[in-house]
Structures are given as C-alpha cells and as structure tokens.
Amino acid sequence: MPNPHKVKPYLLTRSLLPENQETPILFINNDSMEDQLFYRRNHFSYPTLTYSNYWLPINGLVSAPLLLSMQNILQYPSKTLEVVLECSGDKRNLFEPKIFGEQWGKGAISQGRWKGVPLRTLFELSGLGEGAKEVVVEGYDYGNRTDLDEVYTYTRSLPIEKALHPDTIVAYEYNNRPIPFKHGYPLRLIVPQWYAMADVKWIKQIIVIKSKFNGPFQTIDYVYYPNKDNDQDAFPVTTININSTIQKPLDMDIINTGKHLIKGIAWTGKGVITKMEISIDDGHTWRKADILPGKNIGYGWVSWSFEWTILEKGEYTIKSRATDSFGQIQPNLPFWNKKGYGYNAIDKIKVKVE
C-alpha cells in the first residue's frame, strides 16, 4: 500500500500565463524525469489542436512535398535517445548584474527517453532541393510578443547539417508513452546537444528554405548579446555549454559534523563529461569526485558524488567543476550577455556545519 504521508517534490512555478515551471532538480535521484516533474517552458498559452485529423506537411525546397499522417510517421524506422533538455535561460537568476526575463534557478533542465523518426528519414522521402540551407519548424503555439505588433507562432530553423544529423528526431514518445500534451504532443522536435529552444513543440509544419530564417525567436531571442548598450558582436545560441549542479546538500543547509555525501549532475553539449571536481574551501583546493559508471555516453547528464568527512564546525562554500572530452572546463565566471543565456559558471552552495 502506498504511504499516504510520503512527501513528493513539485514543480516550482515561475509564471502561470504562459506556464513556466522548474524541475525540482535538487530532489531528483534518477536519470529519467517523470513527465509531471519535467520543466515547462512556454512563450504563449497552450495551443488548441484537433488530433483526429493531424497531418504533418513537409514543403518548401523539396522534390516531393509530403503530407504525413501519424500512422505514416509511426511506420518509419525509429530511434530512442536519452537526451538532456536544458532551457538556454537555465540559471539566469545567478547572473550579476541581474538580467530581465524569466528568473530561472537551476531547474530549467530535465531528461528522459525520446522516441521518434530521424528528420533525415523524412527528407529521404521528400528529397531536398538544390541550395537547401535551413529547415524551418513551426509550432502550433502562437501569441503576441511585448516587442512587436503582430501575432507570431513559435518557429525556429536549423542549419541543414544539424537537421540531417542522424539523431535529430521528430519525436512522438517520451519514456515509452505518447509525449504529454504539455511537452509537445503529438510531435516535437528533439535536437540533441543544442539548448532546448530548438526543440519545437506541437509541430505544425516543416519548411525547407534556401536563405536564412529571420523570425523573432531566431534573430531577436536566443541570441547572445555581449554588450549591455548595443547589439554588436551578437551570435546565435546553439550548443549547450558544459555545466554542473550540486543537488545535495542544499544551499544554506545546516548540517552536523561527520560524513556527508555531496552529489549532483554534470552535462555538456559536445563530447562527454570526463572529470568532476569538488572544492569545499571556496575554490582554493580541488578534489576529484566519482562519476557514476556506465552512463557517460550519448546525450544525457552524468551523476557524480563525493564523500565529505567534516569535523570542524563553521561555514563552508562548496563548488563543483566539470571537464569534458573536448577539454572544456566550467569557468569561474559566466559569459555575461544581455538576455541571460548559457549560464555555466562553476556551481556553488554554502553550508553551515554545527
């Protein structure tokens, strides 16, 4: 019989309209998020869809435009990938100076198993026209923006090479079940290695074009603006930065002397995590943490832990720092940018030992 007194974590609400909620990442103990705890990131309210006659058009610069039913899509060879999805605004509230926008803490990240058909399989059916440069994916969600006068759908593009990557998929299942509506049912794009703004939900259509797509979610949002006062030197947000998060102990915890397990997760957009280090003296010295074996492949995060024996009372700043197979190391300071994307500085918490 289930324990009626068992306490469970909940999503942490950042806004209700549109719904933006964080995963309680500090309390997550496994590598696959149940969908109720998967973070929710929306620009608009949820779309209304009629599923009975759902079709996916693939058009634009293709030899044979397609109109695919769900039955068609389910018949093609599929693949299942464990992928970490991280909002590019994850940890925005840690930037100094502060940045306007959704004040995400450390929980705009989740992961699980996505099943779908590779986008390239669909292009093998439709054919790609000569000079195809980008693939535009439009979602059914739409609404007004604060900075522009007209109504926009959530639409993004991928460069043709990324669209043709064998692991870029049009997904229809999450953790062996149809994707939950709030996460993009019936079809959602999954683009491993990139921040999750690329993972368009509720796909309405796919269009191949021969120029650069310049919708607002491509050229205004999801762009790094390094200068506070102008838009010069801007460049697009793409690959996930190397990162780590301490899950336990909690920030500002009061703990007793003795043995404690420091644990957390680490992830990167390119390569795999190869080293994890912990400091318990605010970064003066570093010690190696243990990376849980067997998980360090593919596009997921890794779990790590470090056994800390502490006998002296006082206040301690604990830091975590990841290194990946491309030699990328978490920096001391984040790359500050006007919209607050890609925060990946060394993670830190404070604890008091009594």
Side-chain angles (χ1 to χ4, degrees), residues 175-199:
N175 289 352
N176 307 318
R177 294 170 54 188
I179 294 176
F181 171 70
K182 290 198 167 182
H183 296 290
Y185 178 88
L187 295 175
R188 171 179 196 163
L189 196 64
I190 296 292
V191 184
Q193 301 177 316
W194 279 30
Y195 282 109
M197 76 272 142
D199 303 329

Side-chain angles (χ1 to χ4, degrees), residues 137-184:
V137 182
E138 181 180 13
Y140 270 104
D141 48 332
Y142 68 91
N144 294 305
R145 289 174 55 99
T146 50
D147 56 345
L148 299 166
D149 297 349
E150 50 193 290
V151 168
Y152 287 89
T153 51
Y154 185 77
T155 307
R156 294 260 321 165
S157 76
L158 288 175
I160 205 81
E161 315 75 62
K162 193 66 182 169
L164 293 175
H165 188 287
D167 292 340
T168 296
I169 62 172
V170 174
Y172 46 76
E173 277 186 14
Y174 176 70
N175 289 352
N176 307 318
R177 294 170 54 188
I179 294 176
F181 171 70
K182 290 198 167 182
H183 296 290

Side-chain angles (χ1 to χ4, degrees), residues 45-332:
S45 52
Y46 290 105
T48 45
L49 291 176
T50 54
Y51 304 114
S52 51
N53 61 352
Y54 182 86
W55 296 86
L56 174 65
I58 296 180
N59 47 40
L61 202 59
V62 293
S63 331
L66 299 175
L67 193 57
L68 301 171
S69 68
M70 277 306 284
Q71 282 72 20
N72 296 144
I73 290 167
L74 294 172
Q75 283 164 6
Y76 301 133
S78 66
K79 55 170 57 174
T80 302
L81 303 166
E82 186 158 60
V83 183
V84 64
L85 265 55
E86 184 185 14
C87 173
S88 53
D90 190 29
K91 304 190 181 187
R92 180 179 284 130
N93 69 3
L94 300 177
F95 275 105
E96 292 293 339
K98 289 279 182 215
I99 289 165
F100 287 97
E102 212 69 67
Q103 292 300 301
W104 295 109
K106 298 177 183 180
I109 181 172
S110 298
Q111 77 170 13
R113 291 181 310 283
W114 300 92
K115 178 182 180 181
V117 56
L119 196 48
R120 65 184 293 164
T121 302
L122 303 182
F123 289 136
E124 281 161 14
L125 295 161
S126 69
L128 280 176
E130 208 173 305
K133 188 172 179 183
E134 294 193 354
V135 174
V136 178
V137 182
E138 181 180 13
Y140 270 104
D141 48 332
Y142 68 91
N144 294 305
R145 289 174 55 99
T146 50
D147 56 345
L148 299 166
D149 297 349
E150 50 193 290
V151 168
Y152 287 89
T153 51
Y154 185 77
T155 307
R156 294 260 321 165
S157 76
L158 288 175
I160 205 81
E161 315 75 62
K162 193 66 182 169
L164 293 175
H165 188 287
D167 292 340
T168 296
I169 62 172
V170 174
Y172 46 76
E173 277 186 14
Y174 176 70
N175 289 352
N176 307 318
R177 294 170 54 188
I179 294 176
F181 171 70
K182 290 198 167 182
H183 296 290
Y185 178 88
L187 295 175
R188 171 179 196 163
L189 196 64
I190 296 292
V191 184
Q193 301 177 316
W194 279 30
Y195 282 109
M197 76 272 142
D199 303 329
V200 178
K201 301 190 282 271
W202 310 291
I203 299 176
K204 182 179 182 179
Q205 62 172 334
I206 295 171
I207 310 156
V208 180
I209 59 173
K210 61 178 177 188
S211 55
K212 267 185 110 51
F213 174 68
N214 59 10
F217 294 103
Q218 195 87 14
T219 54
I220 299 175
D221 296 343
Y222 303 115
V223 175
Y224 291 113
Y225 298 101
N227 306 319
K228 193 165 177 20
D229 303 320
N230 61 54
D231 293 349
Q232 284 168 350
D233 305 319
F235 59 101
V237 174
T238 55
T239 310
I240 293 173
N241 291 327
I242 186 167
N243 216 332
S244 69
T245 289
I246 300 166
Q247 295 172 287
K248 189 181 165 191
L250 300 178
D251 190 27
M252 305 310 278
D253 250 0
I254 298 172
I255 58 178
N256 51 12
T257 53
K259 273 190 180 178
H260 292 277
L261 195 67
I262 301 171
K263 73 180 198 75
I265 53 173
W267 64 98
T268 185
K270 198 177 159 195
V272 291
I273 299 294
T274 51
K275 186 164 79 170
M276 206 51 229
E277 295 168 288
I278 292 299
S279 172
I280 46 168
D281 56 12
D282 197 10
H284 293 291
T285 60
W286 292 89
R287 309 182 201 180
K288 216 167 163 190
D290 295 317
I291 296 173
L292 254 62
K295 294 299 293 182
N296 207 358
I297 45 166
Y299 306 114
W301 62 49
V302 296
S303 295
W304 52 265
S305 64
F306 177 84
E307 200 171 83
W308 181 33
T309 304
I310 182 66
L311 302 174
E312 282 186 47
K313 298 178 177 182
E315 292 180 12
Y316 293 84
T317 297
I318 302 173
K319 292 185 168 182
S320 70
R321 179 171 74 185
T323 302
D324 69 18
S325 50
F326 281 84
Q328 303 181 100
I329 305 175
Q330 278 181 270
N332 279 315

